[in-house]
Amino acid sequence: MAERKCIYDPLAELMAYYADKTVARVQTDRAALSVEERLKQRIIDGDQIGIDDDLAEAMRSHEPLAIVNTILLDGMKVVGELFGSGQMQLPFVLQSAETMKRAVAYLEPHMEKVEGSARGTMVLATVKGDVHDIGKNLVDIILSNNGYQVVNLGIKIPLEAMLDAAREHNASAIGMSGLLVKSTLVMKENLELMRGRGIDIPVVLGGAALTRRYVEGDLREVYGPNVAYAEDAFAGLHYMERLASGQENWTALERNKSQASEETAAAGDASRDDARRKLVARGSVVIRPAAEEDVERLAELMEVVVDDLRAVDVADLLVVELEESVIGGGRVRPIEGGGAELTNITLMPEQWSAGVGYDLVRALRRHARRNDAETLVFVTCDPNDAELVRFYRTLGFDQVPLDDLRATVAAEKINWCVEQYGREPALFFAKPASALGELPVGSSLETALHLIDEQRRDADHPTSSETFESDAGMRIRRVTSNVARDVPVPPPPFWGSRVVESVRLEKVFEYINEVALFRGQWQVRRGRRSVEEYQRELEGTVRPKFEELKLRAKRENVLTPKVIYGYFPVQSDGDTVIVYRPASLDPAALVAEWPQSGSHRWSREELVEWQRFTFPRQHHGRHLCLADFFRSTASGEFDTMGAQIVTVGERATTYAQELFNAGSYADYLYFHGLGVETAEALAEYWHRSIRIELGIADRDAQDIRRLFAQGYQGSRYSFGYPACPNLEDQQQIFAMLDPSRVGVALSDEWMLEPEQSTSAIVVHHPEAKYFNVREE
């Protein structure tokens, strides 16, 4: 009907729509197959039951090593192909790997040990300072069950340990993994050091913060052609397969291929880079025309079949990009006979809340009118979605009845909505370009220039300016946001901090974001399948696994939610938030509840400075900074800031590692994801508790799914994320809360340990939503 996924989770809606439909998973009938075909199919299906009998039968006519290399590995090859084409999801890949491991364990006692029988060796490690190991361990699983030796060093591994292991095991390659942006800088430093020593062993890099452009562009300039980007575990496998055919030949091949690719793509890259520089920017987010290489990612985000999207003219697509990663986009669908629909509008909820949705829809509207300013532009949405209806009206769309003459242009979409959802949509037409101040333009780049001008004069986001005195005693005038500085300050129930160890796990589970769990952590995605096929898998396999894991977590006590939180008097000074403490209180008594009641009104004489947080400010858009959401020192009043650190305990980490070590790979993926998302759910739940204590929870959305899109007053901001990117600020929040009381520590690189923990400052200001800053 319309772009519902912009506002809250599309998967939750999809699951609700199909809630009354049940299906069963179909497996191949192996009764009529030869033993070789049966074993291969067992690997593909991930079926271990009865495999020992098939292996015993196969050994009557095959050597054990031949069974591994010619039968079982063929099955794993098919698994890789199915995964690559989107026909098999990661949990089922891991079930296949479990079956492979079981089969090899059965055959090993019957095989003679042959030196060098492995196809190659990779040393794997999460780089120094990073505690995340799921990506690295998935690579380990895939490689080790495809005939390669893996030396898995663990997390927070310095470069010297990787190089020592590579020498000791005569490794074919080193794999470096890391989740954080900071980890990409560590990888770059490692490559610079290796290049300086004349080391050129092939290196594979993987992690959420990496992009192919960064690795194959910037990092190859640093290290040379022997560095590759692995977007998933199978990319690492393909890399090792190329190495296995001959490292020197591979190096030459990659060098020639890279040079040829750079030459043929130079003109296109130059034009795209030019476009990227000139397009709308909101912090680190840009909106630009789509390129062919964006289509697969867009199809995944839009939840459409990639071949269907490839059939669309790429000139009708725009993408939203954050740090060179596509995070959203939309399509202009030309209507035969005239007119254009804005559709498939997709954006991460936090970016939507930060105002990027406004820019995206405006960009699409201008794009639809790039050749004719009089083009009728329409969009549809759920008529019961008051928030989205208000959004389109604010953007200059008029809602029209379905019997309006103009509605004939949208007849096809209206009929589709009725068939798909059983109700008619709300229909909006964009106001004339002249009324919106949108001039006719002749190209996407000209459109982009108009969008920049529009953002500068955008009435939705005016800015202010202020005069301040610099450290050098000079009076300077700077641009700031126009955030209201006089909103009511809610009194907290207490000052200082509290420890809460009796949090009910069942309550925390209510706040799990199922989309983030199913699609993000477990990587169960629709891919090229139909909606019905995807739903069958969700209802028949994924959701039952979710319920089983929740029961296991409670029964075995492997997730133990604990919270430390508190409230503190603060003021802002420019871009800095100053946290105060009572002057009369002994420092040893600070990490506890303070004697003063929460209703106590502080005087300046009672307080001394305790901690400082200096936050970056946007250079574009609203010129926001987190400090803007608190009363200033000039006001003479004190504001209230919340802070929280939550964890589900160290046992979550050790239990996941036990599953990995035992070869229960699918359960490892499932449980690790559940642990991470339970910590996020606990943070969401406790943020709501803080809003209740502050008396501002009356603005909370009733549907819990809308909370994930900031359907409440204020925000919680975690260090390392766009509005407060400095991880070093964890030190101040640790000083305020002392989370050692619940078993949480800070690593050398300011990461929380155990991994299944989060920290945040909590801001009550009504205008406080997620936003991005870009440091120049």
Side-chain angles (χ1 to χ4, degrees):
M1 183 175 295
E3 324 314 331
R4 199 63 206 89
K5 66 190 71 173
C6 298
I7 302 300
Y8 65 88
D9 297 323
L11 183 56
E13 287 189 69
L14 193 62
M15 290 161 59
Y17 179 74
Y18 286 97
D20 59 343
K21 300 170 177 60
T22 58
V23 294
R25 187 183 180 203
V26 178
Q27 286 190 324
T28 302
D29 181 7
R30 294 189 290 269
L33 300 179
S34 67
V35 67
E36 294 85 358
E37 292 170 324
R38 289 201 304 274
L39 284 171
K40 180 177 177 180
Q41 197 61 49
R42 282 187 180 280
I43 296 297
I44 296 168
D45 291 340
D47 181 10
Q48 300 181 38
I49 299 174
I51 194 172
D52 292 0
D53 293 336
D54 285 346
L55 290 168
E57 180 181 343
M59 281 197 296
R60 289 197 286 268
S61 54
H62 299 279
E63 291 295 326
L65 188 58
I67 294 173
V68 173
N69 289 335
T70 64
I71 301 174
L72 302 181
L73 286 179
D74 276 355
M76 287 300 296
K77 182 179 180 181
V78 173
V79 169
E81 292 168 350
L82 291 172
F83 177 78
S85 64
Q87 299 175 71
M88 180 179 282
Q89 302 299 297
L90 183 60
F92 301 121
V93 171
L94 298 184
Q95 287 181 6
S96 295
E98 289 178 19
T99 305
M100 181 73 180
K101 185 179 181 70
R102 166 74 180 273
V104 171
Y106 180 90
L107 294 170
E108 274 183 335
H110 307 281
M111 292 190 291
E112 293 184 11
K113 183 66 176 177
V114 179
E115 290 297 326
S117 60
R119 304 170 71 186
T121 301
M122 177 181 281
V123 169
L124 266 180
T126 301
V127 297
K128 181 181 66 175
D130 200 316
V131 301
H132 300 90
D133 66 354
I134 181 68
K136 166 184 65 64
N137 287 348
L138 293 178
V139 174
D140 185 346
I141 292 167
I142 298 304
L143 286 178
S144 60
N145 287 283
N146 276 275
Y148 295 92
Q149 180 183 355
V150 176
V151 181
N152 190 334
L153 298 179
I155 61 174
K156 301 189 294 183
I157 303 300
L159 175 61
E160 292 303 326
M162 298 183 212
L163 296 177
D164 289 345
R167 284 189 289 268
E168 178 184 350
H169 297 277
N170 192 26
S172 311
I174 293 174
M176 300 183 194
S177 176
L179 181 72
L180 305 172
V181 172
K182 190 175 184 66
S183 298
T184 67
L185 302 178
V186 174
M187 293 176 189
K188 184 176 182 180
E189 292 171 1
N190 288 349
L191 293 175
E192 289 171 341
L193 288 169
M194 292 167 70
R195 182 64 181 268
R197 299 182 192 180
I199 298 171
D200 63 353
I201 182 174
V203 176
V204 187
L205 303 176
L210 286 171
T211 64
R212 183 177 300 280
R213 185 186 301 273
Y214 177 68
V215 174
E216 297 181 354
D218 296 2
L219 297 188
R220 277 190 179 169
E221 284 187 15
V222 170
Y223 191 66
N226 281 2
V227 62
Y229 169 63
E231 61 185 350
D232 57 43
F234 276 96
L237 173 63
H238 300 329
Y239 185 91
M240 290 296 287
E241 287 173 341
R242 292 197 296 270
L243 283 180
S245 64
Q247 180 174 328
E248 292 182 0
N249 292 337
W250 178 88
T251 301
L253 176 66
E254 282 296 300
R255 185 181 296 111
N256 294 336
K257 177 181 173 183
S258 175
Q259 291 172 351
S261 174
E262 289 172 7
E263 291 170 3
T264 56
D269 286 344
S271 63
R272 280 195 298 275
D273 289 343
D274 186 54
R276 186 174 289 109
R277 282 193 296 272
K278 294 180 179 178
L279 279 167
V280 169
R282 178 182 291 276
S284 298
V285 177
V286 296
I287 301 171
R288 62 172 175 80
E292 292 291 345
E293 58 263 30
D294 298 318
V295 173
E296 188 169 339
R297 172 61 174 158
L298 276 178
E300 179 184 337
L301 290 170
M302 295 174 175
E303 295 189 318
V304 298
V305 177
V306 67
D307 289 343
D308 291 347
L309 197 60
R310 289 192 193 283
V312 172
D313 188 345
V314 73
D316 292 329
L317 300 171
L318 294 183
V319 299
V320 183
E321 193 175 61
L322 173 61
E323 300 292 349
E324 299 186 353
S325 295
V326 174
I327 62 167
R331 174 189 171 196
V332 174
R333 185 174 74 92
I335 305 299
E336 188 174 348
E341 179 192 5
L342 309 186
T343 186
N344 296 118
I345 301 169
T346 307
L347 194 62
M348 299 297 184
E350 60 271 22
Q351 299 299 333
W352 185 273
S353 301
V356 179
Y358 285 89
D359 296 334
L360 174 58
V361 175
R362 288 190 184 102
L364 288 166
R365 184 170 61 201
R366 282 189 177 275
H367 199 64
R369 288 171 165 166
R370 63 191 181 277
N371 298 319
D372 183 359
E374 302 307 316
T375 298
L376 285 176
V377 179
F378 73 89
V379 67
T380 60
C381 77
D382 183 344
N384 298 318
D385 190 336
E387 187 175 350
L388 198 53
V389 167
R390 186 166 54 250
F391 170 82
Y392 285 122
R393 286 175 176 165
T394 302
L395 268 172
F397 287 82
D398 290 326
Q399 186 172 2
V400 302
L402 299 189
D403 59 0
D404 187 283
L405 182 62
R406 288 175 292 173
T408 56
V409 174
E412 180 185 350
K413 183 59 175 281
I414 293 169
N415 293 335
W416 181 86
C417 289
V418 172
E419 180 181 343
Q420 185 78 3
Y421 299 101
R423 61 183 182 274
E424 294 177 333
L427 176 63
F428 296 85
F429 277 89
K431 292 178 180 178
S434 57
L436 295 167
E438 296 178 344
L439 302 176
V441 292
S443 71
S444 296
L445 289 181
E446 288 173 339
T447 299
L449 295 176
H450 281 283
L451 285 166
I452 290 175
D453 291 338
E454 179 182 65
Q455 180 149 343
R456 286 172 180 161
R457 64 173 184 267
D458 191 345
D460 291 338
H461 302 302
T463 57
S464 303
S465 63
E466 65 181 14
T467 302
F468 73 103
E469 187 170 304
S470 72
D471 293 339
M474 298 178 62
R475 291 182 65 79
I476 300 174
R477 194 160 187 81
R478 62 183 170 194
V479 176
T480 64
S481 74
N482 70 324
V483 168
R485 306 300 175 101
D486 57 353
V487 300
V489 177
F494 63 92
W495 295 107
S497 61
R498 284 178 179 171
V499 177
V500 182
E501 297 187 275
S502 57
V503 183
R504 290 178 56 241
L505 192 55
E506 296 90 341
K507 188 65 179 178
V508 178
F509 284 153
E510 292 177 14
Y511 285 79
I512 284 183
N513 184 334
E514 292 182 355
V515 174
L517 178 62
F518 295 170
R519 289 180 57 190
Q521 298 292 339
W522 293 353
Q523 299 185 37
V524 179
R525 297 163 183 164
R526 177 180 163 189
R528 302 175 66 176
R529 296 172 295 171
S530 68
V531 171
E532 291 78 10
E533 290 172 325
Y534 184 38
Q535 182 62 27
R536 281 198 296 270
E537 184 169 83
L538 290 175
E539 295 301 328
T541 303
V542 178
R543 183 167 292 283
K545 174 57 71 172
F546 182 34
E547 296 302 322
E548 173 200 326
L549 277 174
K550 288 193 291 186
L551 289 172
R552 187 194 305 179
K554 289 187 287 186
R555 182 178 65 249
E556 301 184 21
N557 199 33
V558 290
L559 297 176
T560 54
K562 296 180 181 181
V563 177
I564 288 185
Y565 79 110
Y567 304 94
F568 304 91
V570 298
Q571 289 178 326
S572 65
D573 181 13
D575 297 345
T576 298
V577 173
I578 305 170
V579 183
Y580 296 94
R581 64 174 179 83
S584 60
L585 198 60
D586 187 277
L590 290 176
V591 286
E593 285 190 49
W594 299 347
Q596 294 82 359
S597 69
S599 59
H600 180 74
R601 296 179 65 87
W602 297 101
S603 67
R604 187 66 190 86
E605 293 73 23
E606 292 179 284
L607 297 173
V608 294
E609 182 178 320
W610 189 19
Q611 304 292 334
R612 278 182 172 247
F613 296 91
T614 299
F615 299 110
R617 181 175 295 280
Q618 287 180 320
H619 298 287
H620 304 281
R622 293 189 67 184
H623 290 263
L624 289 168
C625 173
L626 277 181
D628 297 347
F629 301 119
F630 297 99
R631 295 293 177 93
S632 69
T633 52
S635 73
E637 299 177 79
F638 292 92
D639 215 316
T640 301
M641 183 179 80
Q644 65 178 47
I645 294 178
V646 307
T647 185
V648 293
E650 177 64 27
R651 180 62 181 139
T653 299
T654 59
Y655 185 72
Q657 191 62 39
E658 289 167 11
L659 292 171
F660 175 75
N661 294 339
S664 299
Y665 299 137
D667 279 350
Y668 165 67
L669 175 74
Y670 283 131
F671 180 77
H672 180 278
L674 178 66
V676 170
E677 288 304 321
T678 301
E680 291 294 332
L682 178 56
E684 192 74 66
Y685 170 47
W686 211 258
H687 183 198
R688 173 164 168 76
S689 299
I690 287 176
R691 293 195 301 274
I692 292 171
E693 291 188 345
L694 291 176
I696 60 173
D698 57 320
R699 298 193 181 185
D700 281 13
Q702 295 304 304
D703 187 338
I704 199 168
R705 294 170 297 179
R706 288 180 176 270
L707 295 183
F708 305 140
Q710 294 194 284
Y712 44 71
Q713 177 177 323
S715 283
R716 61 181 170 92
Y717 297 94
S718 294
F719 301 110
Y721 286 87
C724 44
N726 299 322
L727 273 173
E728 294 89 336
D729 288 346
Q730 300 272 34
Q731 297 171 98
Q732 288 94 288
I733 203 169
F734 264 60
M736 293 159 58
L737 295 178
D738 184 17
S740 64
R741 293 180 285 172
V742 291
V744 176
L746 198 59
S747 75
D748 293 340
E749 297 294 329
W750 306 290
M751 293 282 300
L752 299 184
E753 296 180 297
E755 176 190 348
Q756 295 86 350
S757 309
T758 74
S759 66
I761 60 172
V762 178
V763 181
H764 65 79
H765 197 292
E767 294 181 57
K769 297 297 179 186
Y770 294 147
F771 61 92
N772 296 296
V773 296
R774 181 174 59 192
E775 297 186 80
E776 301 293 351

